[in-house]
Amino acid sequence: MLPDVWTLYRRMLFSRRFEEAVHRLWDAGLISAEMHLSMGEEGIVAGVLDHLQPGDALALDHRGTAPLLMHGIDPERLLRECLGQEDGLCNGWGGHMHLFSREHLAASSGIVGASGPAAVGFALAAQHLRPGHLAVAFFGEGAVNQGMLMESFNLAVAWKLPVVFVCKDNGWAIYTPRERAISTPLIDRAAGFGLHTTSVDGRDVTAVWEAARDAQTRAREGRGPSFLHARCVHLEGHLLGDPLVRAVRQPLREIAPVFGPMLRAVTRRQGAPVRQRLGPLREVGTRGNRLVSSQRASDDDPLVWTRKQLTGESDRLSTLEAEVTAQVNDIVARVQPE
Ligand SMILES: Cc1ncc(C[n+]2csc(CCOP(=O)(O)OP(=O)(O)O)c2C)c(N)n1
Ligand SMILES: [Mg+2]
């Protein structure tokens, strides 16, 4: 069986348009504090969530927008929550990182790795109260050094829980590259706990869909937990306004003002040897380049990948895109403060 790519693309595009609107509202200063988006993860989220059924649970990290939208949360209430409004999903108290819906059995947390224990709790409840149902945990590769996530892997296997751990691996935990912090391939680590493992390209929604179908079937049939590893790129960097992304996209504007003080710091007579002082600067440059080359071009964008499969029916595609854009514009018009 193959997925309905039109439906998956519609969901992915809705999430993208929604987050583009969030981006504009954040730029306008209407959303306070940090904002982490799911842009670039939509292929993973759509492929996994297409298999969820009412009664299944969802434990999320700090990038909860796409999963919640695709899980059926009212987009208007979600946007109101991001804006801190009283009639938001969590009455304006949660913000974008601490979202919760009892009705949808969905919860997110800004504590890296916390989706592991939450999913294990959901899965234990499903095992006892709702056999045939399961829990999904989403987290980044940075979370796999968190003890509580490792404990969750262990208990899930020991208790044969119906849970699917989905690792969205963009290769970065803020500015720490994966290989600086993680000793072994993630898939090996997960296999070491006895988890059933699969690795896919997260840009390819069909590949994710197939891997997620197998993992979720195992869980529903009581055959135990899985670890689904999916590579992706965060198209807007770690968070909105990411300084490193800004510096690489607009070097003159961003770097010029700090260039003088940096040069003075490096050429100062006192202090550590110049070579030592240059080290961190070089490191920032290298990471900036890597970050941007990993973000460059539409090659990394799951929407571009998916859209290519649909261009044969160009009228249908334009209608779908116009409908989705209009839906999101309507929501924004209703929610945006005067
Ligand atoms: C327990 C904990 N430690 C540190 C942080 C700060 N922090 C927020 S996001 C993040 C990086 C997480 O990287 P990853 O899990 O790969 O997710 P990504 O942001 O790449 O999606 C860190 C360290 C936190 N929120 N919680
Ligand atoms: Mg990461």
Side-chain angles (χ1 to χ4, degrees):
M1 203 179 118
L2 286 172
D4 175 359
V5 181
W6 284 94
T7 302
L8 296 180
Y9 181 65
R10 179 182 283 273
R11 289 184 195 145
M12 292 162 70
L13 185 67
F14 187 89
S15 174
R16 178 66 59 87
R17 292 282 176 267
F18 184 94
E19 288 201 323
E20 285 166 355
V22 166
H23 197 330
R24 289 194 294 277
L25 294 168
W26 188 87
D27 283 344
L30 295 169
I31 296 177
S32 55
E34 295 178 346
M35 188 74 218
H36 308 84
L37 299 181
S38 315
M39 283 189 200
E41 296 185 348
E42 295 96 334
I44 304 174
V45 178
V48 170
L49 289 204
D50 197 42
H51 304 281
L52 285 201
Q53 301 169 1
D56 293 339
L58 200 50
L60 304 169
D61 62 4
H62 50 291
R63 302 187 192 276
T65 318
L68 289 178
L69 289 173
M70 296 190 204
H71 197 47
I73 297 274
D74 177 357
E76 185 169 327
R77 291 190 68 208
L78 182 56
L79 192 54
R80 287 189 186 281
E81 184 61 36
C82 292
L83 288 157
Q85 297 179 2
E86 280 181 355
D87 41 5
L89 184 65
C90 305
N91 305 113
W93 287 94
H96 82 284
M97 270 197 280
H98 299 99
L99 298 160
F100 179 77
S101 171
R102 181 190 290 267
E103 180 196 345
H104 295 87
L105 287 178
S108 73
S109 170
I111 299 172
V112 170
S115 58
V120 161
F122 276 135
L124 184 63
Q127 193 179 53
H128 287 272
L129 306 173
R130 296 184 304 280
H133 286 289
L134 53 81
V136 169
F138 280 113
F139 49 86
E141 86 298 332
V144 301
N145 284 334
Q146 281 295 95
M148 62 182 145
L149 187 60
M150 302 298 95
E151 293 173 39
S152 308
F153 289 175
N154 176 60
L155 272 190
V157 175
W159 295 349
K160 228 176 177 191
L161 294 176
V163 55
V164 181
F165 296 105
V166 183
C167 178
K168 305 163 295 164
D169 183 353
N170 72 321
W172 294 88
I174 311 186
Y175 296 140
T176 304
R178 185 202 302 112
E179 61 278 7
R180 284 290 290 268
I182 301 174
S183 55
T184 45
L186 294 177
I187 203 103
D188 294 353
R189 190 184 290 194
F193 282 94
L195 286 162
H196 172 81
T197 60
T198 325
S199 197
V200 287
D201 186 334
R203 294 171 300 185
D204 181 350
V205 68
T206 303
V208 177
W209 188 92
E210 285 173 347
R213 177 198 53 203
D214 296 346
Q216 294 188 34
T217 304
R218 286 177 67 84
R220 287 190 206 289
E221 291 176 353
R223 288 189 283 132
S226 304
F227 178 85
L228 174 55
H229 175 252
R231 288 168 300 279
C232 66
V233 161
H234 290 152
L235 300 170
E236 284 301 319
H238 179 68
L239 37 59
L240 284 184
D242 188 318
L244 197 50
V245 172
R246 277 204 329 253
V248 185
R249 283 184 186 164
Q250 297 180 300
L252 285 181
R253 204 175 86 183
E254 298 294 330
I255 298 178
V258 291
F259 188 72
M262 266 167 35
L263 194 66
R264 275 198 298 283
V266 170
T267 52
R268 226 160 33 110
R269 282 172 157 271
Q270 305 96 329
V274 171
R275 258 189 58 201
Q276 208 170 317
R277 279 182 255 158
L278 279 173
L281 270 185
R282 217 176 291 123
E283 181 77 21
V284 170
T286 313
R287 289 186 195 195
N289 273 333
R290 260 196 56 184
L291 190 67
V292 168
S293 57
S294 74
Q295 291 196 334
R296 193 174 298 135
S298 47
D299 272 7
D300 287 322
D301 187 335
L303 271 97
V304 173
W305 270 55
T306 313
R307 192 177 192 279
K308 275 188 198 145
Q309 298 168 46
L310 308 175
T311 45
E313 290 183 62
S314 58
D315 287 350
R316 184 176 174 192
L317 187 56
S318 339
T319 307
L320 181 156
E321 292 179 338
E323 278 171 13
V324 169
T325 305
Q327 273 172 348
V328 173
N329 287 346
D330 278 356
I331 294 164
V332 176
R334 284 200 297 276
V335 164
Q336 195 161 2
E338 296 295 308

